[in-house]
Every structure is written in C-alpha cells, then in structure tokens.
Amino acid sequence: MPGRSKILSAGIPPRLAPVPFHPTIIIGLGGTGKEVLLRLRRKFFEKYRQPRLPVISYLWIDTDLRDISLDGERVDYISDEIRFQPTEMVDAQVPAQSFINYFRNRNAYPNIFRWLDPSMEAHGAVVEGAKAYRPLGRLGFFHAFAGENGIEQRLLNHSKNIQNQQAQNEMQDIARVDTTKINVYIVTSLAGGTGSGMFLDMAFLAKSMINNANICGFIVLPSLFTVDPNDRRYANGYAALKELEFYSLRKDLLSKPIDEDFGESSSSSFHDFDVEWRLGDRKLIWGPPFNTCYLIDNSTDRGGFIMPDQKIEVCDMIAESIFMDFSPDTDVFASQNRS
C-alpha cells in the first residue's frame, strides 16, 4: 500500500551526525563500585586490548582494599592490566592510631565532629570495610581527602590527564572528542557503609572541582543485597536516599547566606551542601549533586526479582551500560545514546 509506506517512511528520523566523546572520569565507591569498574575495564580490554581509552580514567575509593569480589571470592583477572594501578586507587581506611587520635582529640577536628557522633568510637577503626555504618564510611572520605595520594589530588590529576592534547590526539582514529564538558560517573551501592557514607561528598566534590561537569550516578539499592527488611542495610539506604532527595531540592532560596563565615552571596539555600573537608576551608555547594541518577533495585520490568546471589549480574549490566557510551562513532546506537 503506497500510502501506508509513505506514512511509515516519514516517521523514520534522518541519520544524525555522530555525537563526540567527552572526557570521562569513572568513580567507583566501595565494593559495588569496584566490581562494576573491574568489569568495565575487562570489557575495554577485550575490545581494545587496553582497560580504557585515552580520555577515560578510573578512580576507586574504598575502606577495604582486599583483592576480593563483591561475593567474597578472590578476584580472577584475565590480565594484570585489568588491575587498578596505584594512581587509580585511594585507600580510605582509617587505621587504629588515626581513629583513636580523631576521637581522643575531638576539639582539633571540628569539621568532622560537626556531623560525626562520638559514640561511633565504639565500633573501632575503619579497616577492611566500614562495618555497614555510614558515618564510618564518611569518616574514611574525610581521612583520605587531602595529601599527595588523597581523593582531592587524585581527582584533580585525573581531570587534567583526560583533557590534555595528547589524550585527544590518541583518540583521532576512534572518535571526535569534545572537551567543553566532562562526564563523571559515580557507581556505588547504598547498602554498606562506605558507598552510602561518601557518595554525596564525592558528587559534590566533583561538582565543585570540575568545570562543566556532567555527573551521573549509578546507585544500587539495598534490595539487591538482602531480603531481610530488618537488615541495617535498608536503614542505610533509606537515610542515604532521604539525604539525596534533600540536596536535590532548592526550593527555599534565601536572600542572605546561611553562615556569616561564607561572606556575601547572591542567594543560598538550606538545601545546599555545607561541608568542610579540609579544616578551615568551609564550602557551600549548590545542589543537586547529580545531573542524572539511576536508582537500581532488585525488581524487573516483568515483575520478577533479582536475588542477592545474582547481584553480580546487575554489576555487569551497569558496566555494559557505561561501556556502550564509548563505542566508536560508527556505532549509531552508542552515538545516539551519548546524545
């Protein structure tokens, strides 16, 4: 039928020009972040024989640096190149001596004890994990923030490396690079203490440090880790989501700053992120923390459920989703996905 054929063809969009790559930092927090990043590195290695492209960089931050997977098994690397390099890792553990020093000298760390309950001392040092306590995970972020190998410096170094001319030149045979925007992926879960404790700090730090950052969160909810509704991991997720919602809303614009320490400003809001990662350097950062945020639970489109022993498959799904953004311009699906 000529008429029907005409109508259908009119609805087919013309082929769009390839959408360029943007320099990208992929940040993994805690065990889930590590699992996704390692799987993503493996996908790049299998396709390009290297774990990343020149304009991509990885940063893994954790309070447990043991060489184990999310299921507690030893990680099986297909190549040593899949492993994180020292510059791609930040150790956010708080060893016993440092932990004791914080709590025995609380007056010396008002930037931490403005939000940290002193009773958290009873849980001990933050070593080999944050024990599913969000405040301990956030303490790890503050502890690892400064210094040559700290979170701040690592993030600064990575943002420079992916934007330099050499990285762009090396991409000429793969895709065009547009440096007017920097993509930042933050991958974590809200079940344990590490990711749920530091994911907002990480997002706001990236927003404050990187001009024109487009921040995307892949956040796994506690339902993928436990079926027990009384498990503390659900409390972690609930609290973290309440904070995410709060900092994503700026409805109460004020005509004056919240605190005189911030000096004059055109407007401020109770929903802005008030933080002092480095003592004496207090910041007020506008929300929201994410430009786009995917919340991933255990339910499927067809009404099924993914059980905790299948959570690795979800990690692979997230890695695949990110990987598809970096297929060459000749891949129409990937190019339009980047748009």
Side-chain angles (χ1 to χ4, degrees), residues 63 115-117 120 123 126 129-142 189-201 222 232-244 247 273:
T63 56
W115 55 267
L116 181 60
D117 188 336
M120 296 304 296
H123 299 292
V126 187
K131 308 179 180 72
Y133 287 104
R134 298 183 66 228
L136 295 184
R138 195 179 191 210
L139 176 61
F141 187 94
F142 275 66
S189 80
L190 300 185
T194 301
S196 67
M198 62 174 65
F199 81 111
L200 285 173
D201 288 277
R232 188 169 71 243
R233 287 174 286 192
Y234 275 104
N236 287 339
Y238 178 80
L241 289 175
K242 290 288 287 183
E243 291 180 1
L244 174 61
Y247 289 117
F273 196 66

Side-chain angles (χ1 to χ4, degrees), residues 111 114-115 138 141-142 145 200-201 204-205 208 247 262 272-278 280-285:
N111 60 319
R114 280 199 299 128
W115 55 267
R138 195 179 191 210
F141 187 94
F142 275 66
F145 178 78
L200 285 173
D201 288 277
F204 277 110
L205 177 63
S208 67
Y247 289 117
F262 297 126
D272 294 337
F273 196 66
D274 177 4
V275 70
E276 192 175 359
W277 293 304
R278 180 184 290 102
D281 184 21
R282 193 170 176 183
K283 298 179 183 296
L284 192 66
I285 307 171

Side-chain angles (χ1 to χ4, degrees), residues 98-301:
S98 298
F99 187 84
I100 292 170
N101 181 59
Y102 283 129
F103 284 92
R104 301 291 168 83
N105 300 282
R106 296 200 298 268
N107 291 337
Y109 303 100
N111 60 319
I112 292 176
F113 287 92
R114 280 199 299 128
W115 55 267
L116 181 60
D117 188 336
S119 67
M120 296 304 296
E121 182 180 10
H123 299 292
V126 187
V127 178
E128 295 186 354
K131 308 179 180 72
Y133 287 104
R134 298 183 66 228
L136 295 184
R138 195 179 191 210
L139 176 61
F141 187 94
F142 275 66
H143 178 71
F145 178 78
E148 183 180 353
N149 300 317
I151 296 170
E152 180 186 39
Q153 190 61 49
R154 287 274 195 257
L155 185 61
L156 179 62
N157 293 343
H158 284 298
S159 65
K160 288 180 178 178
N161 291 340
I162 60 175
Q163 296 181 74
N164 66 35
Q165 191 60 51
Q166 180 180 347
Q168 296 178 55
N169 292 341
E170 293 175 6
M171 288 292 296
Q172 288 180 351
D173 294 334
I174 301 174
R176 184 168 63 88
V177 178
D178 180 358
T179 59
T180 59
K181 180 175 72 174
I182 308 299
N183 285 335
V184 179
Y185 293 92
I186 297 176
V187 185
T188 189
S189 80
L190 300 185
T194 301
S196 67
M198 62 174 65
F199 81 111
L200 285 173
D201 288 277
M202 191 68 249
F204 277 110
L205 177 63
K207 186 168 188 175
S208 67
M209 286 184 61
I210 302 173
N211 293 330
N212 300 318
N214 177 61
I215 304 174
C216 178
F218 283 90
I219 297 178
V220 179
L221 300 180
S223 57
L224 273 161
F225 293 84
T226 179
V227 295
D228 179 4
N230 296 315
D231 194 299
R232 188 169 71 243
R233 287 174 286 192
Y234 275 104
N236 287 339
Y238 178 80
L241 289 175
K242 290 288 287 183
E243 291 180 1
L244 174 61
E245 179 184 42
F246 179 84
Y247 289 117
S248 296
L249 300 174
R250 298 190 81 250
K251 294 182 178 179
D252 63 330
L253 286 177
L254 308 174
S255 59
K256 295 181 180 180
I258 294 175
D259 193 304
E260 293 179 358
D261 293 341
F262 297 126
E264 296 182 0
S265 64
S266 58
S267 63
S268 56
S269 165
F270 287 122
H271 294 280
D272 294 337
F273 196 66
D274 177 4
V275 70
E276 192 175 359
W277 293 304
R278 180 184 290 102
L279 185 62
D281 184 21
R282 193 170 176 183
K283 298 179 183 296
L284 192 66
I285 307 171
W286 283 33
F290 298 99
N291 298 84
T292 306
C293 186
Y294 299 99
L295 301 178
I296 303 161
D297 67 2
N298 70 330
S299 61
T300 68
D301 284 344

